[in-house]
């Protein structure tokens, strides 16, 4: 017979170290009561599923698992009276989320994941990849845009580690057959981080990717991104536009959001109503209203943009134009006197015109609203400490022997004028526009990359890696 537990008055549930997420407690009908170095105590409704208990036993292994039972009615009273009343139970001194520094008294899975995340933060990683491969688990970090294997574990830890991440991200730890998404709010030292988590079933386990966002990081000014003096001057000019459409293009991870945010920070946020639509909100911009996309709740770029247009905005940032409906709304807003900043996935700046046409925007409409088109890539900087020599000796403490530290933007951009607008309206094609721009002194991505090589900022091999030569 299982030990009984009076859960109705369990008001201190959220003070238990490593407590499960609220969504997990509700879905699983289980809540952690206490934990020490040898044992974990979990209270469960009499309706709890056996697979939940088996999963929790595996998750907390090798600690002993003590199951405490409570009646279904008592469980319902706990959910309504305690769990749903979190706001009254948290004191002002307590913080939500997970603290990566608190790793001394947790289970092995907690310690391992905390250590991985701390290492990622300290190495400036943008993404953590945890992949089940063959007989082991491979942990890789993406640092300055390049993947690097940092750790391997025995395959038998796979389920424990994946379950721990899912608990932190508020995901369903019993579901392993379909992809899931979640979020983690955490702290390390004096920094605060958000992690966007994605899990996907693979042939021999699961693949989990966590993207890190430093919420306490320094603001990046336009001057610090790395644009050439000519492109920087044009970007500053673009930031002062009153209406029209400004596009930043490039592949995922090319710094588009950083550029858009930096442009907004140059604007008079006190006199302008600025609203951003992002997926996710990576950096807080004081003075701007930032809205996060949540497709599961019906909050898509398109639906939010429709509502935003009724908020009397002056400037709207649409994190990404992904479909024809969003493109149509953005163009319509630009035509009615709003300044629209957005991003597209295209290979260069001129290709953005064709991309809009492919999304169903009539060429004459694009001609009427497009003000600037910017394309960018990120390449690694040569390490300022070893000047790249550590790539041979692996002796540099700053770059860890890679020869590179940090990244810088390679960019190209053009401002639409009467001639370009005419080419667009008549749908004369990209080559006609490129011919015109070349005569006007237009600098391509490849040419801007060569400038950085000549200045010793990056290397030719970096340009080759980024497809810029």
């Amino acid at each position: 017979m299982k030990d009984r537990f009076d859960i109705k008055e369990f008001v201190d549930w959220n003070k238990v170290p490593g407590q499960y997420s609220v969504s997990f407690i509700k879905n699983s009908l289980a809540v952690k009561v206490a934990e020490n170095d040898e044992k974990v105590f979990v209270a469960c409704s009499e309706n709890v599923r056996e697979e939940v208990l088996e999963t929790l036993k595996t998750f907390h292994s090798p600690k002993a698992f003590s199951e405490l039972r409570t009646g279904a009615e008592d469980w319902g009273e706990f959910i309504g009276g305690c769990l749903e009343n979190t706001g009254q139970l948290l004191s002002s001194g307590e913080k939500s989320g997970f603290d990566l520094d608190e790793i001394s008294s947790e289970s092995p899975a907690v310690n391992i994941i905390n250590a991985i995340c701390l290492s990622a933060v300290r190495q400036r990683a943008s993404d953590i990849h945890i992949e089940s491969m063959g007989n082991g688990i491979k942990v890789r970090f993406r640092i300055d845009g390049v993947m690097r294997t940092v750790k391997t574990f025995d395959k038998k830890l796979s389920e424990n580690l994946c379950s721990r991440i899912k608990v932190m991200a508020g995901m369903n730890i019993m579901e392993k057959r379909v992809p899931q998404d979640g979020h983690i709010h955490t702290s390390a030292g004096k920094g605060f981080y958000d992690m966007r988590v994605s899990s996907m079933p693979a042939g021999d386990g699961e693949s989990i990717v966590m993207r890190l966002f430093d919420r306490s990081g320094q603001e990046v000014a336009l001057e610090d991104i790395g644009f050439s003096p000519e492109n920087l001057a044009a970007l500053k000019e673009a930031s002062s536009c009153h209406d029209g459409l400004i596009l930043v293009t490039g592949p995922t991870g090319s710094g588009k959001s950083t550029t858009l945010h930096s442009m907004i920070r140059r604007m008079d946020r006190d006199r302008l109503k600025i609203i951003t639509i992002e997926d996710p909100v990576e950096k807080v911009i004081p003075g701007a209203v930032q809205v996060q996309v949540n497709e599961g709740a019906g909050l898509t770029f398109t639906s939010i943009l429709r509502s935003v247009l009724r908020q009397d905005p002056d400037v709207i940032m649409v994190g990404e134009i992904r479909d024809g409906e969003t493109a149509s709304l953005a163009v319509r807003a630009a035509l009615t006197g709003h300044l629209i900043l957005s991003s597209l996935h295209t290979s260069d700046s001129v290709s953005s015109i064709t991309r809009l046409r492919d999304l169903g925007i009539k060429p004459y409409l694009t001609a009427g609203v497009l003000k600037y088109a910017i394309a960018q890539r990120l390449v690694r900087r040569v390490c300022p400490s070893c000047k790249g020599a550590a790539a041979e000796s692996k002796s540099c403490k700053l770059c860890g022997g890679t020869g590179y530290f940090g990244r810088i933007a390679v960019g190209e951009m053009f401002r639409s004028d009467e001639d370009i607008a005419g080419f667009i309206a008549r749908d004369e094609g990209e080559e006609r526009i490129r011919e015109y721009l070349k005569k006007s002194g237009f600098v391509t991505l490849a040419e801007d990359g060569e400038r950085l090589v000549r200045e010793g900022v990056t290397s030719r091999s970096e340009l080759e890696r980024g497809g810029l030569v």
Side-chain angles (χ1 to χ4, degrees):
M1 183 175 178
K2 303 294 182 185
D3 292 337
R4 305 293 293 183
F5 180 72
D6 184 5
I7 200 172
K8 297 191 301 296
E9 304 298 327
F10 186 34
V11 296
D12 292 331
W13 66 272
N14 57 352
K15 297 180 181 179
V16 177
Q19 183 59 274
Y20 314 135
S21 69
V22 171
S23 60
F24 175 78
I25 294 172
K26 290 180 180 179
N27 293 330
S28 66
L29 307 182
V31 62
K32 188 190 294 186
V33 173
E35 184 174 5
N36 55 40
D37 291 341
E38 291 82 27
K39 197 170 186 177
V40 61
F41 298 84
V42 175
C44 310
S45 166
E46 60 189 5
N47 296 328
V48 68
R49 301 187 305 277
E50 282 301 319
E51 58 263 33
V52 171
L53 298 176
E54 291 304 316
T55 299
L56 288 174
K57 289 175 183 177
T58 301
F59 174 67
H60 289 293
S61 175
K63 291 185 180 181
F65 183 85
S66 179
E67 177 189 340
L68 310 174
R69 283 298 174 106
T70 184
E73 291 183 2
D74 290 349
W75 182 265
E77 193 171 336
F78 163 68
I79 294 294
C82 299
L83 194 74
E84 301 287 16
N85 205 19
T86 305
Q88 297 180 19
L89 296 175
L90 282 174
S91 69
S92 59
E94 291 179 300
K95 56 186 178 182
S96 60
F98 297 85
D99 188 343
L100 298 180
D101 295 320
E102 295 178 358
I103 61 175
S104 60
S105 61
E106 302 290 353
S107 66
V110 173
N111 288 337
I112 291 171
I113 294 301
N114 283 6
I116 289 171
C117 293
L118 280 170
S119 180
V121 167
R122 290 165 182 162
Q123 295 187 52
R124 304 175 299 106
S126 61
D127 301 85
I128 302 170
H129 293 245
I130 299 177
E131 304 156 326
S132 295
M133 293 186 174
N135 295 322
I137 304 169
K138 181 184 290 186
V139 179
R140 298 194 290 170
F141 293 166
R142 188 179 295 279
I143 302 173
D144 293 333
V146 178
M147 296 287 281
R148 185 185 308 171
T149 300
V150 296
K151 202 82 173 177
T152 56
F153 294 98
D154 192 281
K155 187 63 175 284
K156 65 184 179 182
L157 290 172
S158 177
E159 187 172 349
N160 289 26
L161 299 183
C162 290
S163 294
R164 171 57 185 170
I165 294 170
K166 288 180 177 180
V167 167
M168 294 173 72
M171 298 156 71
N172 185 348
I173 64 174
M174 277 80 71
E175 183 57 77
K176 303 176 179 66
R177 299 166 297 174
V178 297
Q180 294 189 68
D181 295 308
H183 290 85
I184 298 172
H185 304 287
T186 187
S187 62
K190 296 181 179 179
F192 296 92
Y193 301 86
D194 283 348
M195 298 184 188
R196 185 170 60 189
V197 183
S198 170
S199 73
M200 182 171 291
D204 52 358
E206 288 186 273
S207 170
I208 291 185
V209 178
M210 297 185 284
R211 171 154 287 190
L212 278 66
F213 301 98
D214 184 356
R215 298 299 294 270
S216 53
Q218 293 183 342
E219 296 181 356
V220 179
L222 275 177
E223 293 82 357
D224 299 329
I225 296 175
F227 291 108
S228 68
E230 295 78 14
N231 284 342
L232 179 59
L235 279 166
K236 290 179 178 179
E237 184 180 303
S239 302
S240 62
C241 286
H242 299 290
D243 57 18
L245 177 64
I246 298 173
L247 295 173
V248 181
T249 73
T252 300
S254 58
K256 300 185 296 295
S257 296
T258 298
T259 297
L260 291 170
H261 282 186
S262 298
M263 293 176 70
I264 290 174
R265 287 194 177 94
R266 289 190 58 83
M267 298 176 182
D268 188 342
R269 284 164 276 157
D270 187 47
R271 298 181 63 184
L272 295 172
K273 174 75 171 186
I274 302 173
I275 304 179
T276 73
I277 308 170
E278 305 176 65
D279 183 21
V281 174
E282 299 179 14
K283 293 280 187 180
V284 175
I285 306 175
V289 177
Q290 295 175 270
V291 185
Q292 173 135 349
V293 168
N294 184 347
E295 295 190 357
L299 291 174
T300 63
F301 280 110
T302 303
S303 65
I304 297 171
L305 183 52
R306 282 201 189 94
S307 298
V308 163
L309 290 171
R310 295 192 288 270
Q311 289 279 309
D312 187 30
D314 297 296
V315 180
I316 305 171
M317 174 188 144
V318 182
E320 182 183 344
I321 294 178
R322 297 176 177 175
D323 53 58
E325 193 174 3
T326 305
S328 178
L329 283 170
V331 168
R332 192 185 313 163
L335 284 168
T336 54
H338 302 89
L339 177 62
I340 307 297
L341 310 177
S342 192
S343 71
L344 280 174
H345 287 287
T346 63
S347 58
D348 57 42
S349 57
V350 179
S351 297
S352 61
I353 298 166
T354 303
R355 177 62 176 151
L356 287 178
R357 186 190 63 194
D358 293 343
L359 289 172
I361 305 302
K362 300 295 184 183
Y364 72 88
L365 292 176
T366 300
V369 298
L370 184 62
K371 293 291 183 71
Y372 289 85
I374 304 112
Q376 66 181 73
R377 299 286 191 281
L378 293 177
V379 295
R380 291 184 295 175
R381 291 176 179 265
V382 172
C383 177
S385 177
C386 66
K387 304 298 182 183
E392 298 292 336
S393 65
K394 300 188 181 301
S395 60
C396 180
K397 293 182 179 179
L398 183 62
C399 69
T402 65
Y404 299 96
F405 185 84
R407 292 190 287 177
I408 188 170
V410 178
E412 68 172 38
M413 67 179 297
F414 69 85
R415 181 185 188 279
S416 184
D417 57 21
E418 271 189 40
D419 291 324
I420 293 175
F423 299 147
I424 296 172
R426 294 188 296 271
D427 201 13
E428 294 191 19
E430 294 180 14
E431 287 309 311
R432 181 70 183 91
I433 297 173
R434 288 194 178 94
E435 289 174 8
Y436 173 82
L437 288 172
K438 189 174 183 179
K439 294 176 183 176
S440 306
F442 176 71
V443 177
T444 66
L445 282 167
E447 291 168 343
D448 194 49
E450 291 291 345
R451 170 186 66 87
L452 293 175
V453 173
R454 290 194 301 272
E455 294 174 357
V457 177
T458 191
S459 66
R460 181 166 296 280
S461 60
E462 269 299 285
L463 299 188
E464 292 174 352
R465 188 183 66 83
L468 295 173
V469 292

